[in-house]
């Protein structure tokens, strides 16, 4: 994190205080946190993948999948859409955390992506999406003894730190097939969102023998910034598809509200490179795999006690599309992914994440060989490990696609 301008410098005022206190809590306090993950409190948060349930079931990279999808990281995937469609994804996570010998658990629900694709014959497909980027919501508290200045006596205090909000993205895009084997796509978007951080210290009035008002400090920042993605899909043969994309991260700006006595935040978001593909193994049986690379080193900035890292994520899975359930066409999916999260505590190991996935796709409504409604379900069983904590989680993702409206 740094001030806006050409020189790197620590944020000042309440911004530096809140970041320092937050980093100290995460480094010293073993109390439970409430968030999508403990890693949501590291640096600028934990990444939120703008992927549907099908892509999550097949390794979490989402590149080069068969059929047509709305995927801002693979914009060319929408080139062959024939009917307008709406996509809505919801996720519920259950996590168990062990940190400094203490155990805690939490549950969260969110909507990581909403989107619309609209094709025009002879022109191409237009896309609109609203997706999550970084989760920064978490809270923690600690009770401890504090020596009162001037008296030498000790009083019990409760320190509470809360961070609410995160970074989202609003994107528009366009995709078009330019030859029987080549399709291209592009998206452009704006970062949006709000972050509010609050530190509160409460004194035990019985021990200090008087009513001491809570000490409270906090601030709110509104996010903005621009970014874009270009991608292409190549039908290598009748049984193989290959896709690649490049995302220009741009700068994420956090402007303090009028009531916040803090510096403007400026974060250099990383460029991302994604490559993936699918091979037909047998009739109705596909193998997909992909890789993601992004360097978050500059995004770490001057956040006290936090370092940005290089993220390399690998994922893949198999999909069988010949199943039928209750007379409806269905797909069965199994996958695995492994990679690192973008931030870590200075001097600690990188936060690694891995997960096994299983998914089910069900065609709810079809007409004249055209898919009109589909639901996709994915259940992930994964873990995150940073050396200082271990986090095991279950995550259920549900995507509903409705076409032809």
């Amino acid at each position: 994190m740094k001030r806006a301008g050409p020189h790197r410098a620590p944020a000042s005022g309440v911004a530096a205080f809140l970041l320092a206190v937050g980093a100290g809590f995460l480094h010293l306090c073993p109390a439970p946190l409430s968030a999508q993950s403990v890693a949501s409190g590291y640096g600028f948060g934990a990444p939120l993948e703008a992927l549907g349930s099908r892509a999550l079931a097949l390794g979490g990279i989402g590149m080069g999948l068969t059929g047509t999808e709305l995927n801002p990281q693979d914009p060319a995937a929408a080139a062959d859409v024939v009917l307008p469609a709406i996509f809505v994804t919801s996720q519920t996570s259950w996590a168990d955390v062990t940190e400094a010998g203490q155990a805690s658990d939490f549950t969260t629900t969110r909507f990581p992506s909403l989107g619309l694709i609209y094709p025009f014959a002879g022109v191409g497909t237009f896309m609109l999406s609203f997706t999550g980027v970084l989760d920064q919501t978490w809270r923690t508290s600690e009770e401890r003894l504090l020596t009162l200045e001037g008296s030498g006596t000790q009083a019990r205090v409760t320190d509470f730190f809360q961070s609410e909000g995160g970074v989202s993205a609003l994107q528009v895009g366009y995709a078009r097939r330019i030859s029987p084997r080549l399709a291209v796509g592009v998206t452009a978007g704006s970062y949006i969102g709000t972050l509010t951080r609050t530190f509160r210290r409460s004194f035990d009035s019985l021990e200090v023998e008087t009513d001491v008002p809570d000490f409270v400090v906090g601030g709110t920042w509104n996010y903005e910034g621009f970014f874009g993605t270009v991608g292409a899909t190549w039908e290598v043969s009748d049984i193989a598809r290959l896709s690649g994309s490049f995302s220009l991260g741009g700068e994420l700006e956090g402007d303090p509200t009028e009531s916040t006595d803090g510096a403007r935040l400026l974060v250099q978001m990383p460029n991302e490179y994604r490559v993936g593909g699918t091979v037909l193994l047998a009739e109705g049986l596909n193998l997909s795999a992909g890789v993601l690379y992004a360097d978050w080193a500059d995004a770490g900035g001057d956040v006290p006690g936090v370092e940005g890292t290089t993220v390399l994520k690998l994922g893949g899975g198999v999909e069988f599309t010949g199943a039928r359930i209750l007379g409806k066409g269905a797909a069965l999916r199994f996958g695995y992914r492994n990679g690192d999260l973008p931030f870590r505590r200075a001097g600690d190991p990188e936060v690694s994440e891995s997960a096994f996935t299983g998914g089910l796709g069900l065609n709810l409504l079809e007409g004249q060989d055209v898919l009109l409604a589909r639901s996709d379900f994915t259940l992930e069983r994964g873990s995150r490990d940073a050396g200082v904590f271990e986090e095991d989680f279950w995550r259920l993702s549900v995507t509903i696609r409705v076409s032809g409206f």
Side-chain angles (χ1 to χ4, degrees), residues 317-382:
V318 293
E319 180 180 42
F320 176 62
T321 59
R324 296 194 69 82
I325 297 178
L326 299 177
K328 305 289 187 180
L332 303 176
R333 305 168 185 131
F334 300 94
Y336 175 78
R337 71 171 184 274
N338 183 273
D340 296 322
L341 299 187
F343 300 105
R344 66 177 177 183
R345 295 173 182 167
D348 283 348
E350 295 179 348
V351 183
S352 61
E353 180 186 74
S354 62
F356 289 94
T357 60
L360 169 67
L362 185 62
N363 296 339
L364 301 177
L365 181 62
E366 296 176 288
Q368 299 180 349
D369 297 325
V370 177
L371 180 62
L372 298 177
R374 187 182 78 190
S375 60
D376 293 294
F377 305 87
T378 294
L379 183 63
E380 304 169 75
R381 175 56 172 171

Side-chain angles (χ1 to χ4, degrees), residues 135-200:
D135 176 28
Q136 298 177 314
T137 297
W138 57 274
R139 63 180 181 269
T140 186
S141 62
E142 180 188 26
E143 291 186 359
R144 60 194 182 93
L145 292 175
L146 181 70
T147 300
L148 301 180
E149 186 175 350
S151 66
T153 61
Q154 289 187 322
R156 189 171 302 277
V157 299
T158 300
D159 288 340
F160 177 80
F161 196 96
Q162 178 169 295
S163 175
E164 293 184 304
V167 183
S168 299
L170 181 64
Q171 303 176 68
V172 295
Y174 172 76
R176 179 182 175 87
R177 183 162 292 279
I178 60 176
S179 77
R181 292 195 177 274
L182 182 63
V184 295
V186 59
T187 64
S190 173
Y191 296 118
I192 56 177
T194 300
L195 172 65
T196 299
R197 286 192 166 177
T198 305
F199 173 74
R200 178 188 300 271

